[in-house]
Amino acid sequence: TPSTTPASVSMLYTAATPAELIFSSNIDKAVMEMEKFSCKYFVTQEGDQTRGLTGRICKEDLEKELKMRTGTRTICYLCGPPGLVEQMKGWLEELGVVKEDIKFELWW
């Protein structure tokens, strides 16, 4: 029976301000405790000087993450405003992720 445990999990988390990165301390703790879990934060309005990240997630960010997983099935979970989800879905499909492997939730 094949394992249902993923080989790795990479989270790309975006918010307008650092204060909106809810649960980031819990996520950071999980990253420290689980060697196959990583998270990159993106702050779009106020630069996050503590993490050194600013700007929106772009197609190139998705491409970098996908290239690190070449040869494995990649399932992508999206959650956010409809415009963000639609943009990410489009880019993931352009980058070769099959529609069945793109899961999403629209929350407003």
Side-chain angles (χ1 to χ4, degrees):
T1 305
S3 173
T4 57
T5 303
S8 65
V9 174
S10 179
M11 180 177 194
L12 304 182
Y13 188 176
T14 186
T17 67
E20 292 178 1
L21 292 169
I22 59 172
F23 303 115
S24 63
S25 60
N26 296 43
I27 293 167
D28 292 342
K29 183 178 179 197
V31 166
M32 297 297 291
E33 293 172 355
M34 295 184 262
E35 83 180 58
K36 305 250 181 189
F37 177 48
S38 66
C39 182
K40 292 181 182 153
Y41 297 99
F42 297 81
V43 178
T44 60
Q45 292 180 7
E46 296 176 12
D48 185 348
Q49 301 308 314
T50 61
R51 298 172 202 263
L53 299 175
T54 110
R56 298 185 182 280
I57 297 174
C58 65
K59 185 176 178 181
E60 290 74 24
D61 296 313
L62 298 176
E63 186 173 28
K64 286 179 200 173
E65 291 300 317
L66 292 170
K67 281 185 178 179
M68 291 191 298
R69 280 130 189 80
T70 301
T72 63
R73 178 179 179 201
T74 300
I75 301 174
C76 301
Y77 296 91
L78 307 173
C79 181
L84 173 81
V85 170
E86 290 302 320
Q87 181 68 73
M88 296 297 132
K89 277 178 46 185
W91 285 341
L92 289 167
E93 289 173 13
E94 288 172 16
L95 292 167
V97 178
V98 296
K99 287 182 182 186
E100 295 77 25
D101 288 343
I102 302 172
K103 314 296 183 189
F104 61 92
E105 176 180 338
L106 299 175
W107 51 275
W108 76 55

